[in-house]
Amino acid sequence: LAFCGSCGRALVPNDSGKKSVRGIKYRYYTCSLVMRETAAAPCPVGRLSADALEQAVIALIGEVSKHPTVVAEMVEASRTMRKGDREPLRVEVEKAKQALVNVDKQLNNCADAVAKGGAEVLGEALVRRATELRAERQRLLVAQERKRQELAACEKTVLEEHLITENLGKLGQALPNLPPQERKELIRLFVERVEVRRLAANVRRRPSGNEPAPAESEARVMELRIKLHLPELIQGMQERAAGARAEPRVAARGLSLDGTVDFTNAQRGEVVVIAPFNRTIRLESRVRTVPPPKPNIVHPIIRAKEWQRMLDEKEVPHRFALAKQVACTPGTVTKMLKMIKLVPEIQDYLAALKTRNEVWHFSAKRMAKLAVLAPELQRVAFTRIRNNYVKQKEILPARPTP
């Protein structure tokens, strides 16, 4: 299913012969231009970790259902491409009809020849020609029916977005939990093709934080295009849920899911999906040197400001809806939003806190109590809390990290 988008060749699965510390072979997908011609062949894709590519495809399929805008763009692209397919298919159907008319005429000529006694003269040649024409007629009938079905599929209204989103979600949930062989069968049923193309070096992902920028030759940012069978996706997932096996259907224009993936750190056990959403994927077969990212320590005042902005800009209608969206109780939301009444200089001080010990000392509960005071009293009370913290730092060890 995997192809190099640069040279159009298949990506061939192979392994290096080496194993990880867990005894798992290191598998790869290698462009056949590199494998079959020369290792120095100028293919920008070259070789990719099989685990990295497979997990990236599974992540793209699994996560896309959580992004309605992306699904809507896929459906609109499918609708446009289907419209473009209609006229060529109509032409092909007409060509098949005309070819059938010509074959039927030739068969009638053979029948006339037999009726006029030509069989005695032409003998075996006439019988062979009639057999060839019957076989050709059968082939044309099958081709005509297939084109008719493809045209009918193009004439249908594109399926509703919510149905596609629902089935993409089901597929994404099923894939990570299946044994390798069942996962392979499911991918082959619903995925028509996976194309991998190297992204231009100057458009690659910017490193975050103190992460060093990879050299031009080391950057491995790829564009993935996953072509999905639309009928199989919709009907197949429903039949799978009902316990039935999906039967092969007519190949019709499906959906194309495009993504951008950074494979630069695949050898160290990590790939990053950059678009259409951001997600870091850890590869179990290669977990060795890349440490898990450390969570950022921020004071709850930052979250409170964001929540207040959501309310002010009507992203959520009220606090109960906000609590549901951020997975908190309404009481917690109310307590956190009290800190918005703190004077600006106190809010700025809290937002600048970076250590767990500081955030614990200037807790949301303590700051919410200050917020009910008048501005001058807030400043006096906060100065006292801050001075106490400075004294404690001088005589007590830092609070241990849980």
Side-chain angles (χ1 to χ4, degrees), residues 355-402:
T355 69
R356 190 181 301 273
N357 209 40
E358 290 173 331
V359 171
W360 174 80
H361 187 84
F362 297 92
S363 67
K365 183 177 180 180
R366 181 176 288 182
M367 295 301 103
K369 290 181 179 178
L370 287 188
V372 300
L373 303 176
E376 286 305 318
L377 294 178
Q378 284 185 28
R379 294 185 179 94
V380 172
F382 185 77
T383 300
R384 185 168 58 250
I385 294 173
R386 187 174 56 187
N387 291 339
N388 288 339
Y389 175 67
V390 172
K391 290 179 182 178
Q392 287 179 13
K393 278 208 307 184
E394 294 174 354
I395 61 175
L396 296 176
R399 188 170 181 264
T401 301

Side-chain angles (χ1 to χ4, degrees), residues 148-176:
R148 279 178 178 171
Q149 290 185 34
E150 290 186 25
L151 181 59
C154 284
E155 297 288 357
K156 288 181 181 177
T157 305
V158 176
L159 292 168
E160 295 182 18
E161 291 175 21
H162 77 89
L163 193 58
I164 295 174
T165 303
E166 179 183 340
N167 283 278
L168 279 171
K170 290 178 183 177
L171 181 58
Q173 291 172 5
L175 283 174

Side-chain angles (χ1 to χ4, degrees), residues 27 62 118 177 180 199 208 262 343 372-373:
R27 299 181 301 114
N177 303 317
L199 194 67
S208 58
D262 188 352
V343 293
V372 300
L373 303 176

